[in-house]
């Protein structure tokens, strides 16, 4: 992978354009080695995301564990924001962990990720290429953080996430469905981050994977209800 390709890839990701054709034969290890350089070309990092946490999809991609990507600081959107419609995007309900400089969890936070993937050719869809384009990382939105231990306790009491569009329930998912919940997911992510020698600083955000299905990015008014952890509201503008 040369610098010109990584620059072209980063520009396509930042502008929601079709991704360039990928060089053949890229391995997952090579993709992880190149991911930080591609991410820097998009913008500063806010944290990391777990992706492909569904074991069925892992098997289809020849994987035995999830994948890891970077989150962009510029991608954070405020609660209540009106987002522009993008036909190749999707909504993912997740849980976030905010850690300190030693990687210790400090806060648990309701989180939504708005992923965007636009491969040019079906044959480009591979585990390695997903890693290289940061698993479609684009935008995200956070609710109100709660202290780690009390937030976990509240999650155990009511572990359902409900997503509404125009006041109609469109998804109900277990908040512990991604890697058995945020505690195990966070431990796995921090272990992988250490293996890659990627930095962790005060306030690094860990997005722990999709709870339920990825939902098409359709216009409407949305509300994600995390029970005792609170709610996140946003809208997607008409086409």
């Amino acid at each position: 992978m040369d610098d010109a390709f990584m620059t072209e890839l980063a520009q396509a990701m930042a502008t929601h354009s079709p991704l360039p054709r990928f060089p053949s034969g890229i391995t997952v290890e090579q993709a992880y080695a190149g991911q930080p350089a591609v991410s820097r070309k998009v913008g500063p990092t806010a944290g990391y995301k777990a992706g492909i946490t569904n074991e069925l999809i892992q098997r289809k991609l020849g994987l035995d564990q999830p994948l890891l990507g970077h989150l962009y600081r510029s991608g954070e959107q405020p609660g209540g924001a009106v987002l522009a419609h993008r036909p190749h995007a999707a909504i993912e309900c997740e849980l976030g962990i905010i850690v300190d400089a030693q990687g210790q969890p400090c806060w648990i936070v309701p989180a939504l990720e708005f992923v965007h993937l636009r491969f040019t050719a079906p044959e480009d869809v591979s585990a390695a290429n997903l890693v290289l384009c940061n698993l479609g990382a684009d935008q995200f939105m956070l609710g109100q953080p709660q202290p780690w231990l009390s937030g976990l306790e509240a999650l155990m009491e009511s572990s359902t996430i409900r997503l509404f569009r125009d006041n109609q329930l469109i998804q109900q998912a277990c908040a512990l469905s991604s890697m058995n919940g945020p505690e195990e997911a966070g431990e796995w992510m921090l272990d992988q981050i250490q293996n890659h020698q990627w930095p962790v600083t005060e306030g690094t955000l860990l997005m722990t994977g999709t709870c339920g299905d990825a939902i098409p990015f359709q216009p409407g008014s949305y509300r994600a209800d995390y029970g005792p952890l609170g709610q996140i509201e946003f809208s997607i503008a008409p086409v």
Side-chain angles (χ1 to χ4, degrees):
M1 291 177 292
D2 60 21
D3 187 68
F5 168 74
M6 291 194 287
T7 298
E8 185 182 6
L9 177 60
Q11 289 175 343
M13 291 158 59
T15 58
H16 306 130
S17 302
L19 300 176
R21 292 301 309 273
F22 286 74
S24 62
I26 298 174
T27 66
V28 171
E29 291 74 18
Q30 290 170 330
Y32 272 126
Q35 190 191 95
V38 174
S39 299
R40 285 193 295 270
K41 291 176 183 292
V42 177
T45 296
Y48 305 98
K49 58 169 286 183
I52 317 298
T53 56
N54 182 295
E55 292 182 0
L56 178 60
I57 299 176
Q58 289 175 26
R59 288 194 292 271
K60 288 181 178 179
L61 291 170
L63 298 168
D64 59 7
Q65 64 177 349
L67 298 173
L68 198 66
H70 287 65
L71 295 166
Y72 313 117
R73 194 176 303 157
S74 61
E76 183 170 5
Q77 304 298 306
V82 178
L83 306 177
H85 177 261
R86 299 189 299 279
H88 299 276
I91 305 162
E92 297 181 349
C93 296
E94 306 194 21
L95 287 164
I97 303 170
I98 299 171
V99 302
D100 64 18
Q102 288 71 48
Q104 294 300 311
C106 297
W107 307 91
I108 186 169
V109 58
L112 297 170
E113 189 179 5
F114 310 111
V115 298
H116 186 273
L117 278 170
R118 195 176 177 185
F119 285 104
T120 299
E123 56 266 32
D124 280 342
V125 181
S126 69
N129 294 346
L130 284 167
V131 168
L132 200 54
C133 64
N134 265 321
L135 317 177
D138 186 26
Q139 297 177 324
F140 63 94
M141 188 176 292
L142 303 179
Q144 184 65 37
Q146 294 198 24
W148 173 245
L149 291 179
S150 60
L152 277 182
E153 183 177 349
L155 192 63
M156 295 305 115
E157 293 176 0
S158 178
S159 60
T160 300
I161 301 172
R162 296 177 176 87
L163 181 64
F164 298 84
R165 181 175 59 237
D166 297 330
N167 292 318
Q168 298 294 314
L169 179 67
I170 59 172
Q171 176 162 262
Q172 182 169 296
C174 176
L176 307 179
S177 58
S178 178
M179 291 193 278
N180 297 317
E183 193 165 15
E184 287 190 28
E187 290 175 359
W188 177 85
M189 291 184 70
L190 288 165
D191 182 62
Q192 295 299 309
I193 291 165
Q194 185 177 33
N195 288 344
H196 292 301
Q197 298 183 333
W198 293 346
V200 171
T201 59
E202 184 79 30
T204 292
L205 172 65
L206 308 179
M207 298 274 278
T208 59
T210 308
C211 299
D213 297 325
I215 302 298
F217 204 75
Q218 298 178 358
S221 297
Y222 289 81
R223 173 169 53 90
D225 185 348
Y226 287 74
L229 295 184
Q231 300 184 354
I232 308 176
E233 295 184 358
F234 68 99
S235 297
I236 298 175
V239 180

